[in-house]
Amino acid sequence: MNIGKQFKDGLVSQNPVLVQLLGMCSTMAITTTLFNGIGMGISVLVILTCSNVVIAALRKVIPQKIRIAAYVVVIAGFVTMVDLLIQAFVPELSKSLGVFIPLIVVNCIILGRAEAFASKNTVPAAAIDGIAQGIGYTIVLVVICIIRELLGSGTFGAGIFGVNGGGIRIIAEGYPALFLILPFGGFLTLGCLIAFMQWTANRSADKARKESEAAK
Amino acid sequence: MIARILSISLGAILVENFILVKFLGICPFLGVSKKTDTAVGMGFAVIFVMGMASVFCWLVNYLLLVPLKLQYMQTVAYILVIAALVQFVEMFLQKTMPTLYQALGIYLPLITTNCAVLGVALLNTQYNYGLIESLVYGVMGGVGFTVAIFLFASVRERLEFADLPKAFEGFPIALVSAGLIALAFMGFSGLKIW
C-alpha cells in the first residue's frame, strides 16, 4: 500500500474532475459560492469514503453479475443518510444545493471508484483512495467556486464570513461580471481549468523530451 | 390544463433546459456528442426512459412510499426503479423491436447513471406534479436534452477542423462551446409568460 502515491493520484495526476473528467454535473451546477463548494465537496468525500470501505469489505460476497446494482444500493444508502443529516443540521446548505444532494447517487466519481478501485483492493487501501479522491474533488470545487464567486458577484465566502453571511466584498457592487454566476460561467471556468491542466502536462512532457534529447 | 401542459413543455425544452440551464445529464452530453447521428440516438433513448421513469417513480412514490410514510427512502427507491426499468426496457426492445434495439444499442445501459433521469423523478416530487404533468415534464425534458445534444454535436463536428491552441484541444474547447450554446439559451428566459 502506497499512501503517498494514492494521494498524488487523487490530487493531481488522476484528479477525478480535471483528468478523469467525472462528476461534471455537480462541478458546474453548484459552484457559485464557496459555501456550496465546501458543502458539496465534504458530502462527496464522506459518501465516497464510506461506500468505498463497504464495497471493499463486501467485494468477495457480491456476485459479479449484479455488482453494479449492489454498488448503487450501497451508495444510495449513504447518500440518504448524508442528505437527512444535512437537512437536520445545515438547512441552508440543503436549500442551496437542492436536488444535487440526492443526485450524488449518480455522480460518476463514486460509482467509478467503486468499480475501478474498491472492488479490487483491501479495505484500508479503499478508504485512503476515497479520502484522496474526495479531497481532489473538493479542491477543484473550491477553486472553481472562488473564481466564479470573486469575478461573478465580487465577494469571497458568502454564507460563511461577513455581516449576515454576505461574504467579504472585494469588487465593488455593479462591477462584477454577472455572467460567471450563470450556467455559461460554469462551462467557461471548467473549460479553462482543464485547458490549464493540459497546458502544464504538455509543458512538462516537452521539458522531459528535451532533457532526454540533450542527454543523448 | 392545456395551458399548463404547454407552459411545462416550453419550460422543460427551452427556458429551463435540462443540460444547459439545470446542468443535469452532462456526462452523456459530453461523452456521446462526437457525431450527430449517435447523439440523436442517445436523445431518443433518453426521451423514452425519462418519460417512463417519471410515470413509474410517481406511481412508486404515491402508491407505496407516501402511504407507508417512507418518503426518506425516495432516493434509494427511485434509483432502483430506474435501474430495473432500463434493464426491462432493454430486454423488451430486444424481443419485440430488434431494429430499434440495435439503433439504441449501447446507450440504453448508460442511461441508468444519467443524472437527468433521476433528476426528473426528484424534481417531479419536489414540484408536486400530478401523473400527467410528470409524464409531460419527463418527455419534454428528454426533448430538451435531444435538442441540446443535437446542436452541440453539430458544433463539435465543425470543431474538428478548427485550428486551436494545443492546450484547448479536446474537452476544454467542447466545454467552452457548450457554454456559448448555454449563453444563447439564456435568451429564452424571457419566455416565462405563464
Side-chain angles (χ1 to χ4, degrees):
Chain A
M1 191 165 59
N2 190 338
I3 297 177
K5 188 180 173 299
Q6 277 186 312
F7 269 96
K8 189 171 167 270
D9 276 354
L11 298 187
V12 188
S13 53
Q14 285 296 319
N15 186 289
V17 182
L18 297 181
V19 181
Q20 299 182 57
L21 305 169
L22 299 172
M24 295 295 203
C25 304
S26 55
T27 310
M28 287 187 274
I30 53 93
T31 48
T32 48
T33 62
L34 188 62
F35 179 60
N36 279 356
I38 294 178
M40 187 71 180
I42 292 176
S43 317
V44 169
L45 173 69
V46 170
I47 295 166
L48 180 59
T49 313
C50 294
S51 65
N52 257 5
V53 167
V54 170
I55 288 165
L58 294 175
R59 69 185 187 282
K60 285 176 185 147
V61 187
I62 297 173
Q64 186 68 16
K65 276 192 179 161
I66 57 154
R67 66 184 194 287
I68 300 287
Y71 299 162
V72 168
V73 175
V74 171
I75 297 166
F78 282 114
V79 170
T80 307
M81 281 182 221
V82 169
D83 188 12
L84 294 176
L85 285 174
I86 291 177
Q87 278 178 27
F89 292 105
V90 207
E92 312 88 63
L93 186 65
S94 164
K95 206 179 272 171
S96 69
L97 292 182
V99 77
F100 281 94
I101 297 176
L103 280 178
I104 297 175
V105 180
V106 283
N107 188 323
C108 338
I109 296 176
I110 298 176
L111 199 60
R113 291 323 286 176
E115 172 75 3
F117 195 91
S119 59
K120 297 181 193 111
N121 285 283
T122 55
V123 174
I128 289 166
D129 180 71
I131 295 171
Q133 297 280 337
I135 292 176
Y137 176 73
T138 310
I139 289 177
V140 174
L141 280 194
V142 166
V143 169
I144 297 176
C145 285
I146 291 175
I147 295 173
R148 284 181 75 185
E149 194 190 337
L150 183 65
L151 299 179
S153 43
T155 56
F156 176 75
I160 310 175
F161 314 115
V163 194
N164 299 328
I168 301 166
R169 182 154 287 285
I170 292 170
I171 302 176
E173 238 162 292
Y175 288 100
L178 186 69
F179 69 87
L180 274 166
I181 294 293
L182 301 175
F184 169 61
F187 283 110
L188 187 71
T189 317
L190 188 60
C192 292
L193 263 184
I194 296 174
F196 176 71
M197 202 73 180
Q198 289 191 356
W199 178 72
T200 45
N202 284 345
R203 206 178 57 154
S204 57
D206 276 353
K207 218 176 172 183
R209 203 174 55 229
K210 270 182 196 143
E211 269 167 17
S212 72
E213 275 170 10
K216 280 176 196 168
Chain B
M1 190 67 195
I2 291 174
R4 178 114 184 91
I5 288 175
L6 222 77
S7 83
I8 291 177
S9 318
L10 206 64
I13 300 176
L14 298 177
V15 185
E16 299 254 283
N17 187 291
F18 264 74
I19 294 177
L20 298 169
V21 180
K22 283 195 186 316
F23 284 116
L24 295 169
I26 298 284
C27 298
F29 176 66
L30 293 170
V32 247
S33 55
K34 287 217 171 102
K35 283 198 181 125
T36 35
D37 43 348
T38 49
V40 172
M42 181 70 179
F44 281 110
V46 168
I47 294 178
F48 190 59
V49 175
M50 271 172 82
M52 299 269 280
S54 304
V55 172
F56 278 92
C57 289
W58 190 91
L59 292 175
V60 165
N61 190 34
Y62 288 100
L63 299 182
L64 208 67
L65 297 182
V66 173
L68 295 175
K69 295 201 166 51
L70 281 173
Q71 284 101 323
Y72 62 90
M73 291 294 281
Q74 239 165 35
T75 319
V76 182
Y78 284 3
I79 192 74
L80 285 177
V81 168
I82 291 167
L85 190 70
V86 171
Q87 194 77 54
F88 179 75
V89 167
E90 203 183 337
M91 291 191 299
F92 179 77
L93 286 182
Q94 203 175 4
K95 286 271 183 215
T96 53
M97 288 178 260
T99 41
L100 183 63
Y101 174 75
Q102 257 167 10
L104 297 180
I106 49 163
Y107 304 122
L108 270 175
L110 279 178
I111 293 174
T112 315
T113 52
N114 183 341
C115 32
V117 181
L118 184 60
V120 80
L122 290 167
L123 287 174
N124 279 332
T125 319
Q126 207 176 14
Y127 297 159
N128 283 321
Y129 279 165
L131 184 58
I132 296 173
E133 287 167 320
S134 296
L135 175 66
V136 172
Y137 193 57
V139 171
M140 290 305 162
V143 173
F145 179 94
T146 314
V147 169
I149 201 171
F150 175 69
L151 287 175
F152 184 53
S154 323
V155 172
R156 255 184 121 172
E157 279 183 347
R158 302 284 176 93
L159 271 180
E160 298 214 344
F161 307 106
D163 189 19
L164 295 168
K166 201 159 177 261
F168 270 94
E169 272 169 21
F171 248 77
I173 194 66
L175 283 174
V176 173
S177 37
L180 290 173
I181 300 176
L183 198 60
F185 268 69
M186 290 295 302
F188 291 120
S189 60
L191 274 177
K192 282 177 187 161
I193 39 175
W194 278 291

